Structures are given as structure tokens and as C-alpha cells.
Amino acid sequence: MKQKNFSAYAAELARRRILRSGAWAGLGLAAGGLSRAYASADAEDADFLQSEGTGHPVRVDAEQREDWDVVVIGSGAAGLAAALEARRAGARVVILEKMGSIGGNSVISEGLVGVPGTPMQAALGIHDSPELFAADLLAAGYVNHPGKVRVLAQKALETFEWTRDELGVRWWEDRLEYELGQSVRRTAVIREAKGGGLVYPLYERARALGVVIRLRTKALHLLEAERLGERRVAAVLAEDASSGTRIVFHARRGVVLASGGFSSDIELRQMQNWRLSARVGTATQPGSTGEMLREAARIGAWLLHLEYIHCIPDASPDEKGWGTTWKFSRYCAATQGIWAVRQTGQRFVNETGGNVDKTNAIFDLLNAGLEPVAISDARAVRHPQSVIFGTSDVEALVARGFVSRYPTLEALAEGRRIPLAALQATVARYNDALRSGRERDEMGRRISPIAEPMEEGPWFASPMLAKVLMCSGGIAADDCARVLSVVDDRPIPGLYAAGEVTGGLHGIAFVGSAGLLDALVFGRIAGQCAAKSL
């Protein structure tokens, strides 16, 4: 230990002893903010020391050191946007990515972004506004924070224009998709039909400006130091997975957490909801684990809404990840067909209802040992209710074995082992509702204006499985993406967060196509604010 640091270190230990014997102990807190890896040094040369006393000490046993202005953890849309904005502001930026490739969940997403006021809406005569978008988000989320929602809605259009004009992202100019929770059609569609059409332009722009990306480099701990009279997050301890080398990445201005959600972290998600066991699939990439969430908590960050874990109810048990079979279940069977229980032949939910209701209905079936099946006839397959999914896509799913085709309803019942009489009665009741001109059918589903009676072969069917898609909860951050302390609700100096690793924006349910927008808007804000720190 350097002599110049001893007095500060001794004072810190004395302060901890006082706190342990006083009010903090009375509150029964683990006091994550008081168990931080402590460092006391001048601004440019910090010695990180093992913390002592209660909490979770960190031993800084790094072999190498690197100096940067901003360190970003995660290379999805949020991380790339943050790095790009920080670099544009003049900061020296490095991205740490634990996986072997960039993009996180963003790159495997459908590349859909909800935006009010686009030229596409104007061309289609759709009236929309940031206020209506915010109202949709708040209505769906119920407990989400209005301030963050308003920031997202107000910055949506300028962010869309930024991706188009600066990054060169190619959006379809003549179409919009409708997503869950939207009161009007507002979802912009990337021409490449995948998130890579957004992520790779972000990556290319960041690299062109000089952002450095370290793959297979896993962030282990956040390290703090005394700097300019305040305690702040000043570095990241990380490990190079290829060599096993531990490196301290000093961050002169700040650290941005953009490490994503915890959909693949079975222990963490079951702690929030025991039903989300290993039997429940995940639609995300395997790196969606919660290490940085836990690490932020260790140094005293607020975590909120962790229990709000959203699933895609209509995925296929036969595909890995999100897959594409959900589009058949959603755009054909849900809107113009039925979802039925294989063992009974009866419907069990409003197929176009809220995502939470549908997911819970699927979970109830699975926990009871029952199997949901999506069913449609040829008419629904001829005109799916989607601008990104068509008849040829259904044929491709049939060829790959994820959707089965049968010449008659009787053959479908036999092939899927569904009671024929019950299935015929279910289909007949739906057809009666449609022919009678009623607004809704027996399950409360609003009847589509383009729907036709289910009576024309061939018939199509696919099994369904709910899969974890997105975590609404995470680290608490303010409108400037500054992480908030559990001790005093104030920003933790030097620490920022954006994207799915944060909580407070989506709430108990999510509006479709808001996730990528969240990553972009608050990723940019985090990068801009981190670069201005100090």
C-alpha cells in the first residue's frame, strides 16, 4: 500500500465501524453501498484495495491496467449507442463484451421500433403523437415511471431520424407493423427484417469513430475511488476469457452498464417468479445473465420491478430461442384461427388479448400438464395480419417441420391427437360468431374485419410454448441515465445504465417494439452524460 493513501484508508475503515454499530445495522441493511471495493488515490493513479468488514469484499488482483474515459459494458443497441455518443463528444471509449460476437439480444431481435410521427404514418393517414405513445406505454405498464416514459416518447422520432440519416439504417417507407399495446399502427420495420439491420450500422459507425470493442472480455466488478472530493465508480475489473488475464479498465469519466436483462439466468428469474424454471424456454441469447445487475446491487444501486419478466406466449417448443413460428401462431391463428388445448379441443384464452393474460394462460396449461396448439385454415394463411409475414413464410415453416399441414380438420385432429367432436364444435362456435356479425367471439376476441369462416383446407397447426422474452426490471436510473443509490436515492457518481439492464420504463406489461427504442434513446443519453462527467 502506498504511504500517501494510508490515512484516507484508515479514515474509511473507522467510518465503516461507526456505521456498522449505528443506524445502518438497526435498519438491517446489507448496505451494498458500504461494502464497495474501496480505493483512495489521486485522480490519475488509484490503488484499489480490498474492502473489509461486512458485505462482499472484492480483491483486485489484476495483471494489467488500461486507461479510458468511458467504459461501456455490453455491445447491444444500448451499449453501441452509448459508446458512439461518448466518442462523438471526444471521449476515449472501450466496450467490454463477454460473448464472442457483438449485438446481444438486439442483433437477434425482429428489428421493430415503435415511433410516433414518422413519414410512414403520414403517408398512411395515421394520426399519432408522443403524448399518445406515452399514454399507451403508461396504460400497459401501470407502474412504470412517467418521467422516463415521457423522455422515451419525446425522443422517439429524433432517434429514428438519427438512425436513418446518420447511421444509414434502411427502413421500409411504405409499411408499418402493429404491435401489442399500440392504439395505432406505429412500428417501423427494418428492411433486413432483423435487428442486425440496426446493430451493424451502429457498430460500423462506432468503429469508424475509434471506439474499441473487446470481445470475450467479461466485466467482473465495479471499482470505486476517491476523486475530486467524492467517491465515484472509477474502473471495471474484467477478465479476458481467451487468456484468463485480469485487467483493470480505468474510466476517467464514467462507466455505462448496458449488459442487458437476465432472461437466461434461471436462478435469478426463479427468485422473482418460481414458475420460470428451466422448463420454460428463453427467446434471448445465452449471455442474458444478471452478473452486472448483481454487481450494481453490491455497490448500492437501487433495483426495481425485477418481478416483471415478460414472455412471448406463442413461441415453438421445437425451435431454439425466439424462432419464427410465433409469427404463424400470432398473425394467422391468433387473429383468424384459434388457440386450443390439445387434450380437450377447446379454446382457453382471448388470442389477441394482453400479453400477460395470454402468457399466464399458457403457464396454467403447462403446469397442469396440458398442451396448447395454434390452429388455422388455408384462408388465414393466405392473408396473415402482418406486413412482415406472409404465405411463403408459412410454407417455409411447414418445410422445416415447425408447422404441420393437414388436408382436412379431421386429419388435423387425428395427427395432433385432439378430440375431433370437441374441436369441430369449437370451430363451429367461432364461425357462428363471425357469420352473426358480432363484434366479439365467445372468448372476448374482437373479430377481425378480414376474417373468414374456418372451413377451407388445408389446415395448419403448431404446438406453443411460452418463453422468456424481456425483463422489465433492473437498475434504477434517472432521466439522464445516472444510476441511483439505495442509500440516498441520489446518482452514484460515475455510473450510468441504459437498455434492458434498467427498470422503471416498461412496468407490468410491455408495448411491443418499445425495447429497441429504449436501448437507443437511453443509450445515447448515457453516452452523452458520461462523456460530460468531470
Side-chain angles (χ1 to χ4, degrees):
M1 177 190 310
K2 293 183 180 179
Q3 186 64 36
K4 65 181 179 180
N5 294 327
F6 181 77
S7 297
Y9 181 56
E12 171 65 10
L13 291 182
R15 183 180 71 86
R16 289 178 183 229
R17 293 189 186 102
I18 293 171
L19 288 170
R20 288 202 303 274
S21 63
W24 293 109
L27 288 173
L29 295 176
L34 304 178
S35 62
R36 302 170 183 175
Y38 178 69
S40 174
D42 50 60
E44 297 301 325
D45 186 21
D47 284 336
F48 297 101
L49 306 174
Q50 179 178 351
S51 64
E52 297 187 5
T54 60
H56 301 278
V58 171
R59 182 177 296 279
V60 183
D61 52 355
E63 295 93 345
Q64 295 180 16
R65 161 185 172 146
E66 296 184 15
D67 293 312
W68 299 88
D69 292 324
V70 175
V71 177
V72 178
I73 301 174
S75 69
L80 289 168
L84 176 53
E85 289 295 334
R87 182 66 189 128
R88 288 181 61 193
R92 294 173 298 120
V93 184
V94 64
I95 296 176
L96 309 183
E97 170 56 60
K98 70 179 180 182
M99 305 301 286
S101 58
I102 66 162
N105 289 330
S106 302
V107 77
I108 63 172
S109 73
E110 292 298 309
L112 303 176
V113 177
V115 186
T118 59
M120 295 85 81
Q121 284 186 315
L124 294 172
I126 298 172
H127 174 72
D128 199 4
S129 67
E131 292 74 22
L132 182 57
F133 185 25
D136 287 347
L137 289 165
L138 291 169
Y142 190 67
V143 298
N144 39 357
H145 294 182
K148 294 198 75 170
V149 169
R150 283 194 291 269
V151 171
L152 184 80
Q154 291 294 337
K155 289 187 173 292
L157 182 58
E158 70 175 71
T159 302
F160 167 79
E161 293 171 342
W162 172 74
T163 66
R164 182 194 62 195
D165 301 337
E166 180 169 335
L167 303 180
V169 176
R170 303 188 313 140
W171 303 92
W172 285 109
E173 298 176 356
D174 60 349
R175 65 191 68 176
L176 290 169
E177 186 58 277
Y178 176 81
E179 281 287 294
L180 295 170
Q182 293 181 352
S183 57
V184 298
R185 193 178 293 270
R186 67 166 64 95
T187 298
V189 182
I190 293 176
R191 283 180 177 267
E192 287 80 1
K194 283 292 180 182
L198 171 66
V199 168
Y200 294 127
L202 270 170
Y203 166 76
E204 294 294 342
R205 182 63 173 158
R207 285 293 303 271
L209 290 178
V211 172
V212 174
I213 301 177
R214 297 288 180 79
L215 299 177
R216 299 184 179 88
T217 303
K218 183 178 181 179
L220 302 175
H221 295 293
L222 302 172
L223 305 177
E224 292 184 290
E226 195 76 21
R227 185 173 294 175
L228 299 181
E230 69 177 0
R231 189 185 182 109
R232 62 184 289 115
V233 174
V236 177
L237 175 64
E239 183 175 82
D240 183 328
S242 301
S243 64
T245 302
R246 289 196 167 195
I247 308 167
V248 169
F249 291 87
H250 285 253
R252 191 171 68 89
R253 301 187 187 181
V255 173
V256 178
L257 300 179
S259 49
F262 55 95
S263 297
S264 296
D265 192 327
I266 295 173
E267 290 184 358
L268 182 53
R269 76 190 196 193
Q270 271 202 287
M271 191 173 293
Q272 316 306 322
N273 184 342
W274 65 267
R275 293 177 176 85
L276 301 179
S277 67
R279 294 186 306 160
V280 177
T282 177
T284 62
Q285 51 96 18
S288 298
T289 46
E291 299 95 341
M292 285 299 100
L293 200 66
R294 298 171 188 263
E295 182 62 12
R298 184 188 67 80
I299 69 163
W302 265 118
L303 304 183
L304 72 162
H305 296 172
L306 294 185
E307 68 273 26
Y308 300 134
I309 301 172
H310 304 304
C311 298
I312 174 174
D314 39 18
S316 169
D318 301 324
E319 284 186 291
K320 290 184 178 181
W322 197 345
T324 55
T325 307
W326 66 271
K327 297 178 183 179
F328 163 76
S329 301
R330 183 176 303 181
Y331 297 134
C332 296
T335 56
Q336 304 165 77
I338 58 172
W339 292 0
V341 180
R342 185 191 66 76
Q343 289 86 345
T344 67
Q346 298 178 346
R347 294 167 67 191
F348 58 93
V349 73
N350 175 352
E351 295 91 342
T352 59
N355 195 70
V356 173
D357 292 338
K358 293 188 293 187
T359 298
N360 287 338
I362 295 284
F363 279 151
D364 288 344
L365 291 181
L366 296 176
N367 289 330
L370 302 174
E371 304 166 27
V373 183
I375 299 172
S376 78
D377 73 342
R379 290 171 172 170
V381 168
R382 275 202 297 269
H383 43 73
Q385 289 200 10
S386 171
V387 299
I388 62 173
F389 185 74
T391 303
S392 62
D393 298 304
V394 178
E395 294 296 335
L397 290 172
V398 171
R400 296 169 62 196
F402 297 130
V403 173
S404 299
R405 176 167 48 202
Y406 303 92
T408 63
L409 182 61
E410 291 77 9
L412 185 151
E414 181 179 359
R416 306 302 306 186
R417 295 180 295 122
I418 302 174
L420 176 59
L423 180 60
Q424 289 174 324
T426 297
V427 172
R429 287 195 298 273
Y430 167 71
N431 289 341
D432 289 344
L434 194 152
R435 288 193 171 99
S436 68
R438 293 200 293 268
E439 183 179 358
R440 298 180 182 272
D441 62 25
E442 63 177 340
M443 301 303 294
R445 175 176 60 177
R446 187 180 298 276
I447 296 176
S448 168
I450 67 170
E452 301 176 82
M454 294 179 66
E455 55 190 14
E456 181 182 331
W459 294 73
F460 300 82
S462 177
M464 294 192 296
L465 175 69
K467 295 184 178 181
V468 178
L469 174 64
M470 188 186 84
C471 302
S472 276
I475 299 166
D478 65 12
D479 296 352
C480 295
R482 298 175 298 184
V483 174
L484 302 178
S485 168
V486 71
V487 176
D488 56 12
D489 301 334
R490 298 178 63 186
I492 296 175
L495 188 59
Y496 304 82
E500 196 180 348
V501 76
T502 64
L505 180 66
H506 300 286
I508 64 174
F510 74 98
V511 173
S513 70
L516 273 181
L517 182 64
D518 171 21
L520 291 170
V521 168
F522 286 101
R524 295 184 72 197
I525 290 173
Q528 293 162 359
C529 293
K532 292 188 295 186
S533 180
L534 292 182

